[in-house]
Amino acid sequence: MKLIKGLPLLVVAVASMIMFTAAFPSTKVVEPKPTATTVATGSSYKELVKIATEVKGSKLTLKEKIALKVFGKKIDSKAPTAGGKSQVIALILVCLVGGLGIHRFYLGYTWQGVVQLLTGGGCGVWALIDLIRIITGSLQPKDSEYEKTL
């Protein structure tokens, strides 16, 4: 009976201790382990191997090293950069020679430019759609963004 009466007091004491210790953060700083998302593009192959080894916790196999080299190059090549393209120039091109698809060549879409050139911009319909997309900004240069916008 005495045990049952002391139980609420014990629960309150434990709960207050938990709340008190949670109110003060620990002073110990823990360095996070590097992950794939923390690796910046432009890292050298040696840096990537070092980070991958730390993440894995053991030496990398030959397959892993080859994959790291291949995908490291792909990550660097897919990094979006300012292509130096202007939305105003693309708009002028689509207005003047939209049926020929010259704006698609300018934006880096070579095959779509060839198809527009052969079809006359889809009899003008495709060029009209591209005009609207360039004005709204949904038609961006391939693998980059506009350096200058409207």
Side-chain angles (χ1 to χ4, degrees), residues 68-140:
L68 192 60
K69 189 151 196 118
V70 169
F71 290 116
K73 288 181 181 179
K74 286 188 177 184
I75 289 171
D76 284 342
S77 67
K78 296 289 184 184
T81 58
K85 306 290 184 189
S86 172
Q87 189 175 8
V88 175
I89 301 289
L91 182 63
I92 292 170
L93 285 173
V94 77
C95 288
L96 297 178
V97 286
L100 298 176
I102 304 300
H103 61 284
R104 286 286 184 162
F105 288 107
Y106 174 72
L107 295 175
Y109 300 103
T110 308
W111 280 106
Q112 292 176 353
V114 169
V115 172
Q116 275 193 341
L117 184 63
L118 294 175
T119 62
C123 296
V125 175
W126 198 354
L128 180 64
I129 292 169
D130 282 351
L131 173 72
I132 295 168
R133 289 186 64 202
I134 288 173
I135 290 172
T136 60
S138 67
L139 183 58
Q140 298 279 333

Short mmCIF file of all heavy atoms in Angstrom, two decimals, residues 68-140:
data_model
loop_
_atom_site.label_atom_id
_atom_site.label_comp_id
_atom_site.label_asym_id
_atom_site.label_seq_id
_atom_site.Cartn_x
_atom_site.Cartn_y
_atom_site.Cartn_z
N LEU A 68 32.89 5.53 -58.31
CA LEU A 68 33.10 6.87 -57.77
C LEU A 68 33.73 7.78 -58.81
O LEU A 68 33.35 8.94 -58.94
CB LEU A 68 33.97 6.79 -56.52
CG LEU A 68 34.06 8.02 -55.66
CD1 LEU A 68 32.68 8.40 -55.14
CD2 LEU A 68 35.00 7.80 -54.50
N LYS A 69 34.67 7.24 -59.57
CA LYS A 69 35.32 8.04 -60.61
C LYS A 69 34.32 8.39 -61.71
O LYS A 69 34.25 9.55 -62.15
CB LYS A 69 36.50 7.28 -61.19
CG LYS A 69 37.35 8.11 -62.10
CD LYS A 69 38.77 7.60 -62.05
CE LYS A 69 39.69 8.61 -62.63
NZ LYS A 69 40.65 9.11 -61.72
N VAL A 70 33.51 7.41 -62.15
CA VAL A 70 32.54 7.65 -63.22
C VAL A 70 31.46 8.63 -62.77
O VAL A 70 31.17 9.60 -63.45
CB VAL A 70 31.90 6.31 -63.68
CG1 VAL A 70 30.71 6.54 -64.57
CG2 VAL A 70 32.93 5.46 -64.38
N PHE A 71 30.86 8.37 -61.60
CA PHE A 71 29.77 9.22 -61.15
C PHE A 71 30.26 10.57 -60.67
O PHE A 71 29.52 11.54 -60.72
CB PHE A 71 28.94 8.51 -60.08
CG PHE A 71 28.13 7.38 -60.63
CD1 PHE A 71 28.37 6.08 -60.24
CD2 PHE A 71 27.15 7.62 -61.57
CE1 PHE A 71 27.63 5.04 -60.76
CE2 PHE A 71 26.42 6.59 -62.11
CZ PHE A 71 26.65 5.29 -61.71
N GLY A 72 31.51 10.66 -60.22
CA GLY A 72 32.07 11.96 -59.87
C GLY A 72 32.15 12.86 -61.07
O GLY A 72 31.88 14.05 -61.00
N LYS A 73 32.52 12.30 -62.22
CA LYS A 73 32.56 13.08 -63.46
C LYS A 73 31.16 13.47 -63.90
O LYS A 73 30.94 14.57 -64.38
CB LYS A 73 33.26 12.29 -64.57
CG LYS A 73 34.76 12.16 -64.36
CD LYS A 73 35.40 11.40 -65.47
CE LYS A 73 36.89 11.25 -65.24
NZ LYS A 73 37.54 10.48 -66.30
N LYS A 74 30.21 12.56 -63.75
CA LYS A 74 28.84 12.87 -64.14
C LYS A 74 28.24 13.95 -63.26
O LYS A 74 27.50 14.80 -63.73
CB LYS A 74 27.96 11.61 -64.09
CG LYS A 74 28.23 10.67 -65.22
CD LYS A 74 27.24 9.54 -65.25
CE LYS A 74 27.51 8.64 -66.44
NZ LYS A 74 26.53 7.59 -66.58
N ILE A 75 28.56 13.93 -61.97
CA ILE A 75 28.06 14.96 -61.06
C ILE A 75 28.60 16.31 -61.47
O ILE A 75 27.88 17.30 -61.53
CB ILE A 75 28.43 14.64 -59.60
CG1 ILE A 75 27.61 13.45 -59.10
CG2 ILE A 75 28.22 15.84 -58.70
CD1 ILE A 75 28.06 12.91 -57.76
N ASP A 76 29.90 16.38 -61.81
CA ASP A 76 30.50 17.63 -62.22
C ASP A 76 29.91 18.14 -63.53
O ASP A 76 29.71 19.33 -63.71
CB ASP A 76 32.02 17.49 -62.38
CG ASP A 76 32.73 17.46 -61.04
OD1 ASP A 76 32.12 17.88 -60.04
OD2 ASP A 76 33.89 17.02 -60.99
N SER A 77 29.62 17.22 -64.48
CA SER A 77 29.11 17.66 -65.77
C SER A 77 27.64 18.07 -65.70
O SER A 77 27.17 18.83 -66.52
CB SER A 77 29.27 16.54 -66.80
OG SER A 77 28.43 15.44 -66.48
N LYS A 78 26.90 17.58 -64.69
CA LYS A 78 25.48 17.92 -64.56
C LYS A 78 25.25 19.15 -63.69
O LYS A 78 24.12 19.56 -63.49
CB LYS A 78 24.69 16.76 -63.96
CG LYS A 78 24.67 15.53 -64.83
CD LYS A 78 23.83 15.74 -66.05
CE LYS A 78 23.76 14.46 -66.86
NZ LYS A 78 23.06 14.60 -68.08
N ALA A 79 26.30 19.75 -63.15
CA ALA A 79 26.14 20.90 -62.29
C ALA A 79 25.58 22.07 -63.10
O ALA A 79 26.14 22.44 -64.12
CB ALA A 79 27.46 21.29 -61.66
N PRO A 80 24.42 22.63 -62.69
CA PRO A 80 23.85 23.73 -63.45
C PRO A 80 24.73 24.97 -63.35
O PRO A 80 25.17 25.35 -62.28
CB PRO A 80 22.49 23.96 -62.81
CG PRO A 80 22.60 23.39 -61.45
CD PRO A 80 23.62 22.30 -61.53
N THR A 81 24.98 25.55 -64.48
CA THR A 81 25.75 26.78 -64.52
C THR A 81 25.00 27.81 -65.33
O THR A 81 24.12 27.49 -66.12
CB THR A 81 27.12 26.55 -65.17
OG1 THR A 81 26.91 26.04 -66.50
CG2 THR A 81 27.95 25.57 -64.38
N ALA A 82 25.35 29.05 -65.12
CA ALA A 82 24.75 30.11 -65.92
C ALA A 82 25.31 29.99 -67.32
O ALA A 82 26.51 30.09 -67.54
CB ALA A 82 25.06 31.47 -65.32
N GLY A 83 24.44 29.74 -68.28
CA GLY A 83 24.88 29.50 -69.64
C GLY A 83 25.12 30.76 -70.44
O GLY A 83 25.49 30.70 -71.60
N GLY A 84 24.92 31.90 -69.84
CA GLY A 84 25.11 33.13 -70.58
C GLY A 84 23.99 33.41 -71.56
O GLY A 84 24.15 34.21 -72.47
N LYS A 85 22.89 32.71 -71.42
CA LYS A 85 21.76 32.90 -72.33
C LYS A 85 20.81 33.95 -71.77
O LYS A 85 20.61 34.06 -70.57
CB LYS A 85 20.99 31.58 -72.51
CG LYS A 85 21.83 30.41 -72.93
CD LYS A 85 22.30 30.55 -74.34
CE LYS A 85 23.07 29.30 -74.74
NZ LYS A 85 23.74 29.41 -75.98
N SER A 86 20.23 34.71 -72.66
CA SER A 86 19.31 35.77 -72.27
C SER A 86 17.89 35.41 -72.69
O SER A 86 17.66 34.95 -73.82
CB SER A 86 19.74 37.08 -72.94
OG SER A 86 18.76 38.08 -72.73
N GLN A 87 16.95 35.63 -71.79
CA GLN A 87 15.55 35.36 -72.10
C GLN A 87 15.04 36.35 -73.14
O GLN A 87 14.20 36.00 -73.97
CB GLN A 87 14.72 35.46 -70.81
CG GLN A 87 13.30 35.00 -70.94
CD GLN A 87 12.56 35.01 -69.62
OE1 GLN A 87 13.06 35.51 -68.61
NE2 GLN A 87 11.37 34.46 -69.61
N VAL A 88 15.57 37.56 -73.15
CA VAL A 88 15.16 38.57 -74.13
C VAL A 88 15.57 38.15 -75.54
O VAL A 88 14.80 38.26 -76.49
CB VAL A 88 15.76 39.95 -73.77
CG1 VAL A 88 15.44 40.98 -74.82
CG2 VAL A 88 15.29 40.40 -72.40
N ILE A 89 16.81 37.64 -75.68
CA ILE A 89 17.28 37.17 -76.99
C ILE A 89 16.42 36.01 -77.47
O ILE A 89 16.04 35.95 -78.64
CB ILE A 89 18.77 36.76 -76.91
CG1 ILE A 89 19.64 37.91 -76.47
CG2 ILE A 89 19.24 36.17 -78.23
CD1 ILE A 89 19.81 39.01 -77.49
N ALA A 90 16.12 35.06 -76.58
CA ALA A 90 15.28 33.92 -76.95
C ALA A 90 13.89 34.41 -77.39
O ALA A 90 13.33 33.88 -78.35
CB ALA A 90 15.17 32.95 -75.79
N LEU A 91 13.36 35.41 -76.70
CA LEU A 91 12.04 35.97 -77.07
C LEU A 91 12.09 36.63 -78.44
O LEU A 91 11.19 36.44 -79.26
CB LEU A 91 11.59 36.96 -76.00
CG LEU A 91 10.22 37.60 -76.18
CD1 LEU A 91 9.13 36.55 -76.14
CD2 LEU A 91 9.98 38.64 -75.11
N ILE A 92 13.14 37.38 -78.71
CA ILE A 92 13.28 38.03 -80.03
C ILE A 92 13.40 36.98 -81.12
O ILE A 92 12.78 37.10 -82.18
CB ILE A 92 14.50 38.98 -80.03
CG1 ILE A 92 14.22 40.18 -79.11
CG2 ILE A 92 14.84 39.45 -81.43
CD1 ILE A 92 15.41 41.05 -78.84
N LEU A 93 14.19 35.93 -80.87
CA LEU A 93 14.36 34.87 -81.87
C LEU A 93 13.06 34.15 -82.16
O LEU A 93 12.75 33.86 -83.32
CB LEU A 93 15.43 33.88 -81.41
CG LEU A 93 16.88 34.34 -81.50
CD1 LEU A 93 17.80 33.32 -80.86
CD2 LEU A 93 17.27 34.57 -82.95
N VAL A 94 12.28 33.84 -81.12
CA VAL A 94 11.03 33.12 -81.35
C VAL A 94 10.02 34.02 -82.06
O VAL A 94 9.21 33.53 -82.86
CB VAL A 94 10.46 32.52 -80.04
CG1 VAL A 94 9.79 33.55 -79.18
CG2 VAL A 94 9.47 31.40 -80.35
N CYS A 95 10.08 35.32 -81.83
CA CYS A 95 9.16 36.24 -82.52
C CYS A 95 9.52 36.38 -84.00
O CYS A 95 8.64 36.41 -84.86
CB CYS A 95 9.16 37.61 -81.85
SG CYS A 95 8.34 37.64 -80.26
N LEU A 96 10.81 36.49 -84.29
CA LEU A 96 11.23 36.74 -85.67
C LEU A 96 11.31 35.48 -86.52
O LEU A 96 10.84 35.47 -87.66
CB LEU A 96 12.58 37.46 -85.68
CG LEU A 96 12.60 38.85 -85.04
CD1 LEU A 96 14.00 39.43 -85.06
CD2 LEU A 96 11.62 39.78 -85.76
N VAL A 97 11.95 34.44 -85.99
CA VAL A 97 12.17 33.22 -86.78
C VAL A 97 11.72 31.99 -86.00
O VAL A 97 12.38 30.94 -86.03
CB VAL A 97 13.66 33.10 -87.20
CG1 VAL A 97 13.99 34.06 -88.29
CG2 VAL A 97 14.57 33.27 -86.02
N GLY A 98 10.60 32.09 -85.31
CA GLY A 98 10.10 30.99 -84.50
C GLY A 98 9.74 29.76 -85.32
O GLY A 98 9.93 28.64 -84.87
N GLY A 99 9.26 29.95 -86.52
CA GLY A 99 8.90 28.83 -87.38
C GLY A 99 10.09 28.02 -87.82
O GLY A 99 9.96 26.85 -88.19
N LEU A 100 11.27 28.61 -87.78
CA LEU A 100 12.48 27.89 -88.18
C LEU A 100 13.14 27.18 -87.00
O LEU A 100 14.06 26.38 -87.18
CB LEU A 100 13.48 28.85 -88.83
CG LEU A 100 13.00 29.53 -90.10
CD1 LEU A 100 14.04 30.52 -90.59
CD2 LEU A 100 12.69 28.50 -91.17
N GLY A 101 12.72 27.49 -85.79
CA GLY A 101 13.25 26.83 -84.60
C GLY A 101 14.63 27.32 -84.18
O GLY A 101 15.33 26.64 -83.43
N ILE A 102 15.02 28.50 -84.64
CA ILE A 102 16.34 29.03 -84.30
C ILE A 102 16.48 29.25 -82.80
O ILE A 102 17.56 29.05 -82.23
CB ILE A 102 16.60 30.35 -85.07
CG1 ILE A 102 16.45 30.15 -86.58
CG2 ILE A 102 17.97 30.92 -84.74
CD1 ILE A 102 17.38 29.13 -87.17
N HIS A 103 15.39 29.60 -82.13
CA HIS A 103 15.44 29.80 -80.68
C HIS A 103 15.78 28.51 -79.95
O HIS A 103 16.43 28.51 -78.92
CB HIS A 103 14.11 30.38 -80.18
CG HIS A 103 12.94 29.49 -80.44
ND1 HIS A 103 12.37 29.36 -81.70
CD2 HIS A 103 12.24 28.67 -79.63
CE1 HIS A 103 11.37 28.50 -81.63
NE2 HIS A 103 11.27 28.07 -80.37
N ARG A 104 15.36 27.37 -80.50
CA ARG A 104 15.68 26.08 -79.89
C ARG A 104 17.18 25.78 -80.01
O ARG A 104 17.79 25.26 -79.09
CB ARG A 104 14.88 24.96 -80.55
CG ARG A 104 13.42 24.93 -80.16
CD ARG A 104 13.28 24.42 -78.76
NE ARG A 104 11.86 24.31 -78.42
CZ ARG A 104 11.42 23.59 -77.43
NH1 ARG A 104 12.24 22.92 -76.66
NH2 ARG A 104 10.13 23.54 -77.17
N PHE A 105 17.77 26.14 -81.16
CA PHE A 105 19.22 25.98 -81.31
C PHE A 105 19.94 26.88 -80.30
O PHE A 105 20.92 26.47 -79.68
CB PHE A 105 19.66 26.34 -82.73
CG PHE A 105 19.26 25.33 -83.77
CD1 PHE A 105 18.25 25.60 -84.67
CD2 PHE A 105 19.91 24.10 -83.85
CE1 PHE A 105 17.89 24.68 -85.63
CE2 PHE A 105 19.55 23.18 -84.80
CZ PHE A 105 18.53 23.46 -85.69
N TYR A 106 19.46 28.10 -80.14
CA TYR A 106 20.06 29.05 -79.20
C TYR A 106 20.01 28.53 -77.77
O TYR A 106 20.96 28.69 -77.01
CB TYR A 106 19.34 30.41 -79.31
CG TYR A 106 19.78 31.42 -78.29
CD1 TYR A 106 21.02 32.04 -78.37
CD2 TYR A 106 18.96 31.77 -77.23
CE1 TYR A 106 21.44 32.98 -77.44
CE2 TYR A 106 19.36 32.70 -76.28
CZ TYR A 106 20.60 33.30 -76.39
OH TYR A 106 21.00 34.22 -75.46
N LEU A 107 18.91 27.90 -77.39
CA LEU A 107 18.74 27.39 -76.02
C LEU A 107 19.42 26.04 -75.79
O LEU A 107 19.47 25.56 -74.67
CB LEU A 107 17.25 27.29 -75.68
CG LEU A 107 16.51 28.63 -75.62
CD1 LEU A 107 15.02 28.41 -75.39
CD2 LEU A 107 17.09 29.53 -74.55
N GLY A 108 19.95 25.43 -76.86
CA GLY A 108 20.69 24.18 -76.70
C GLY A 108 19.91 22.93 -77.04
O GLY A 108 20.42 21.83 -76.88
N TYR A 109 18.69 23.06 -77.51
CA TYR A 109 17.86 21.90 -77.87
C TYR A 109 18.01 21.66 -79.37
O TYR A 109 17.13 22.01 -80.17
CB TYR A 109 16.40 22.15 -77.50
CG TYR A 109 16.18 22.41 -76.03
CD1 TYR A 109 15.97 23.69 -75.56
CD2 TYR A 109 16.20 21.36 -75.11
CE1 TYR A 109 15.76 23.93 -74.20
CE2 TYR A 109 15.99 21.59 -73.77
CZ TYR A 109 15.77 22.88 -73.32
OH TYR A 109 15.57 23.11 -71.99
N THR A 110 19.12 21.02 -79.78
CA THR A 110 19.45 20.89 -81.19
C THR A 110 18.44 20.04 -81.95
O THR A 110 17.96 20.44 -83.01
CB THR A 110 20.85 20.27 -81.33
OG1 THR A 110 21.76 21.05 -80.54
CG2 THR A 110 21.31 20.29 -82.77
N TRP A 111 18.10 18.86 -81.41
CA TRP A 111 17.18 17.98 -82.12
C TRP A 111 15.79 18.60 -82.27
O TRP A 111 15.14 18.46 -83.31
CB TRP A 111 17.08 16.61 -81.44
CG TRP A 111 18.25 15.76 -81.79
CD1 TRP A 111 19.31 15.45 -81.00
CD2 TRP A 111 18.49 15.15 -83.05
NE1 TRP A 111 20.21 14.68 -81.70
CE2 TRP A 111 19.73 14.47 -82.97
CE3 TRP A 111 17.81 15.10 -84.26
CZ2 TRP A 111 20.28 13.76 -84.02
CZ3 TRP A 111 18.36 14.39 -85.31
CH2 TRP A 111 19.57 13.73 -85.18
N GLN A 112 15.31 19.25 -81.24
CA GLN A 112 14.01 19.91 -81.35
C GLN A 112 14.08 21.06 -82.35
O GLN A 112 13.11 21.33 -83.05
CB GLN A 112 13.55 20.41 -79.98
CG GLN A 112 13.22 19.28 -79.04
CD GLN A 112 12.86 19.76 -77.65
OE1 GLN A 112 12.98 20.93 -77.33
NE2 GLN A 112 12.43 18.83 -76.81
N GLY A 113 15.23 21.72 -82.43
CA GLY A 113 15.40 22.78 -83.42
C GLY A 113 15.35 22.22 -84.84
O GLY A 113 14.75 22.83 -85.72
N VAL A 114 15.97 21.06 -85.05
CA VAL A 114 15.95 20.42 -86.37
C VAL A 114 14.52 20.04 -86.74
O VAL A 114 14.06 20.28 -87.87
CB VAL A 114 16.88 19.18 -86.39
CG1 VAL A 114 16.66 18.35 -87.65
CG2 VAL A 114 18.33 19.61 -86.27
N VAL A 115 13.79 19.46 -85.79
CA VAL A 115 12.40 19.05 -86.07
C VAL A 115 11.54 20.28 -86.36
O VAL A 115 10.71 20.26 -87.29
CB VAL A 115 11.83 18.22 -84.89
CG1 VAL A 115 10.35 17.96 -85.08
CG2 VAL A 115 12.58 16.92 -84.75
N GLN A 116 11.73 21.37 -85.61
CA GLN A 116 10.97 22.59 -85.87
C GLN A 116 11.34 23.17 -87.23
O GLN A 116 10.47 23.69 -87.95
CB GLN A 116 11.20 23.64 -84.79
CG GLN A 116 10.32 23.45 -83.59
CD GLN A 116 10.33 24.66 -82.67
OE1 GLN A 116 11.23 25.49 -82.72
NE2 GLN A 116 9.32 24.76 -81.84
N LEU A 117 12.60 23.08 -87.59
CA LEU A 117 13.04 23.57 -88.89
C LEU A 117 12.39 22.80 -90.02
O LEU A 117 11.93 23.38 -91.02
CB LEU A 117 14.57 23.47 -88.99
CG LEU A 117 15.24 24.03 -90.22
CD1 LEU A 117 15.02 25.53 -90.31
CD2 LEU A 117 16.72 23.71 -90.21
N LEU A 118 12.28 21.48 -89.88
CA LEU A 118 11.69 20.64 -90.92
C LEU A 118 10.17 20.75 -90.99
O LEU A 118 9.58 20.60 -92.06
CB LEU A 118 12.09 19.18 -90.69
CG LEU A 118 13.58 18.86 -90.85
CD1 LEU A 118 13.86 17.41 -90.48
CD2 LEU A 118 14.05 19.17 -92.27
N THR A 119 9.51 21.04 -89.86
CA THR A 119 8.05 21.10 -89.85
C THR A 119 7.51 22.53 -89.88
O THR A 119 6.30 22.72 -89.81
CB THR A 119 7.48 20.41 -88.59
OG1 THR A 119 7.95 21.11 -87.44
CG2 THR A 119 7.88 18.95 -88.54
N GLY A 120 8.41 23.49 -89.97
CA GLY A 120 7.96 24.88 -89.98
C GLY A 120 7.37 25.28 -88.63
O GLY A 120 6.39 26.03 -88.57
N GLY A 121 7.99 24.79 -87.58
CA GLY A 121 7.50 25.11 -86.23
C GLY A 121 6.15 24.50 -85.96
O GLY A 121 5.34 25.05 -85.21
N GLY A 122 5.92 23.31 -86.54
CA GLY A 122 4.62 22.66 -86.35
C GLY A 122 3.51 23.52 -86.94
O GLY A 122 2.46 23.67 -86.35
N CYS A 123 3.79 24.07 -88.15
CA CYS A 123 2.88 25.00 -88.84
C CYS A 123 2.57 26.22 -87.96
O CYS A 123 1.47 26.76 -87.99
CB CYS A 123 1.60 24.30 -89.28
SG CYS A 123 1.88 23.01 -90.50
N GLY A 124 3.55 26.64 -87.17
CA GLY A 124 3.40 27.84 -86.36
C GLY A 124 2.86 27.59 -84.97
O GLY A 124 2.99 28.44 -84.10
N VAL A 125 2.23 26.43 -84.75
CA VAL A 125 1.63 26.15 -83.45
C VAL A 125 2.72 25.94 -82.39
O VAL A 125 2.64 26.49 -81.28
CB VAL A 125 0.71 24.90 -83.53
CG1 VAL A 125 0.18 24.53 -82.15
CG2 VAL A 125 -0.43 25.16 -84.49
N TRP A 126 3.75 25.18 -82.74
CA TRP A 126 4.83 24.91 -81.82
C TRP A 126 5.57 26.20 -81.47
O TRP A 126 5.95 26.43 -80.33
CB TRP A 126 5.79 23.89 -82.44
CG TRP A 126 6.72 23.19 -81.50
CD1 TRP A 126 6.88 23.43 -80.17
CD2 TRP A 126 7.62 22.14 -81.82
NE1 TRP A 126 7.84 22.60 -79.64
CE2 TRP A 126 8.30 21.79 -80.65
CE3 TRP A 126 7.91 21.46 -82.99
CZ2 TRP A 126 9.26 20.78 -80.61
CZ3 TRP A 126 8.86 20.47 -82.95
CH2 TRP A 126 9.53 20.13 -81.78
N ALA A 127 5.76 27.05 -82.47
CA ALA A 127 6.43 28.34 -82.23
C ALA A 127 5.59 29.22 -81.30
O ALA A 127 6.14 29.92 -80.44
CB ALA A 127 6.68 29.04 -83.56
N LEU A 128 4.28 29.18 -81.45
CA LEU A 128 3.39 29.96 -80.56
C LEU A 128 3.47 29.44 -79.13
O LEU A 128 3.54 30.23 -78.18
CB LEU A 128 1.94 29.89 -81.07
CG LEU A 128 0.91 30.65 -80.25
CD1 LEU A 128 1.20 32.14 -80.29
CD2 LEU A 128 -0.49 30.36 -80.76
N ILE A 129 3.49 28.13 -78.97
CA ILE A 129 3.63 27.54 -77.64
C ILE A 129 4.98 27.92 -77.02
O ILE A 129 5.06 28.28 -75.85
CB ILE A 129 3.46 26.00 -77.71
CG1 ILE A 129 2.02 25.66 -78.08
CG2 ILE A 129 3.85 25.34 -76.39
CD1 ILE A 129 1.79 24.20 -78.42
N ASP A 130 6.04 27.87 -77.85
CA ASP A 130 7.37 28.26 -77.35
C ASP A 130 7.41 29.74 -76.97
O ASP A 130 8.08 30.12 -76.00
CB ASP A 130 8.44 27.96 -78.38
CG ASP A 130 8.82 26.48 -78.43
OD1 ASP A 130 8.36 25.73 -77.55
OD2 ASP A 130 9.57 26.09 -79.34
N LEU A 131 6.71 30.58 -77.70
CA LEU A 131 6.63 32.01 -77.37
C LEU A 131 6.03 32.19 -75.98
O LEU A 131 6.59 32.91 -75.14
CB LEU A 131 5.78 32.76 -78.41
CG LEU A 131 5.49 34.22 -78.10
CD1 LEU A 131 6.74 35.05 -78.27
CD2 LEU A 131 4.38 34.74 -78.99
N ILE A 132 4.96 31.50 -75.71
CA ILE A 132 4.31 31.59 -74.39
C ILE A 132 5.22 31.03 -73.31
O ILE A 132 5.36 31.61 -72.24
CB ILE A 132 2.94 30.87 -74.41
CG1 ILE A 132 1.99 31.58 -75.37
CG2 ILE A 132 2.35 30.77 -73.01
CD1 ILE A 132 0.74 30.81 -75.69
N ARG A 133 5.88 29.91 -73.59
CA ARG A 133 6.78 29.30 -72.59
C ARG A 133 7.99 30.16 -72.29
O ARG A 133 8.47 30.19 -71.16
CB ARG A 133 7.22 27.91 -73.06
CG ARG A 133 6.08 26.89 -73.01
CD ARG A 133 6.56 25.49 -73.33
NE ARG A 133 7.51 25.06 -72.32
CZ ARG A 133 8.40 24.09 -72.53
NH1 ARG A 133 8.49 23.50 -73.70
NH2 ARG A 133 9.23 23.74 -71.57
N ILE A 134 8.51 30.85 -73.30
CA ILE A 134 9.66 31.73 -73.05
C ILE A 134 9.23 32.94 -72.24
O ILE A 134 9.93 33.38 -71.32
CB ILE A 134 10.33 32.14 -74.38
CG1 ILE A 134 11.06 30.93 -74.97
CG2 ILE A 134 11.29 33.30 -74.18
CD1 ILE A 134 11.62 31.16 -76.35
N ILE A 135 8.06 33.49 -72.53
CA ILE A 135 7.57 34.64 -71.77
C ILE A 135 7.35 34.27 -70.30
O ILE A 135 7.71 35.02 -69.40
CB ILE A 135 6.27 35.20 -72.40
CG1 ILE A 135 6.58 35.86 -73.74
CG2 ILE A 135 5.59 36.20 -71.47
CD1 ILE A 135 5.35 36.26 -74.53
N THR A 136 6.76 33.10 -70.05
CA THR A 136 6.50 32.68 -68.67
C THR A 136 7.76 32.17 -67.98
O THR A 136 7.78 32.04 -66.76
CB THR A 136 5.43 31.57 -68.62
OG1 THR A 136 5.89 30.44 -69.36
CG2 THR A 136 4.10 32.08 -69.16
N GLY A 137 8.80 31.85 -68.75
CA GLY A 137 10.05 31.37 -68.17
C GLY A 137 10.12 29.88 -67.98
O GLY A 137 11.04 29.38 -67.35
N SER A 138 9.15 29.13 -68.49
CA SER A 138 9.18 27.67 -68.31
C SER A 138 10.08 26.99 -69.34
O SER A 138 10.45 25.83 -69.15
CB SER A 138 7.77 27.09 -68.38
OG SER A 138 7.24 27.24 -69.68
N LEU A 139 10.44 27.67 -70.42
CA LEU A 139 11.39 27.12 -71.40
C LEU A 139 12.75 27.71 -71.10
O LEU A 139 13.05 28.84 -71.46
CB LEU A 139 10.95 27.44 -72.83
CG LEU A 139 11.82 26.87 -73.95
CD1 LEU A 139 11.91 25.35 -73.85
CD2 LEU A 139 11.29 27.27 -75.30
N GLN A 140 13.57 26.94 -70.39
CA GLN A 140 14.90 27.38 -69.95
C GLN A 140 15.97 26.82 -70.89
O GLN A 140 15.73 25.86 -71.61
CB GLN A 140 15.18 26.84 -68.53
CG GLN A 140 14.24 27.33 -67.47
CD GLN A 140 14.64 28.73 -66.99
OE1 GLN A 140 15.78 29.11 -67.04
NE2 GLN A 140 13.65 29.47 -66.53
#
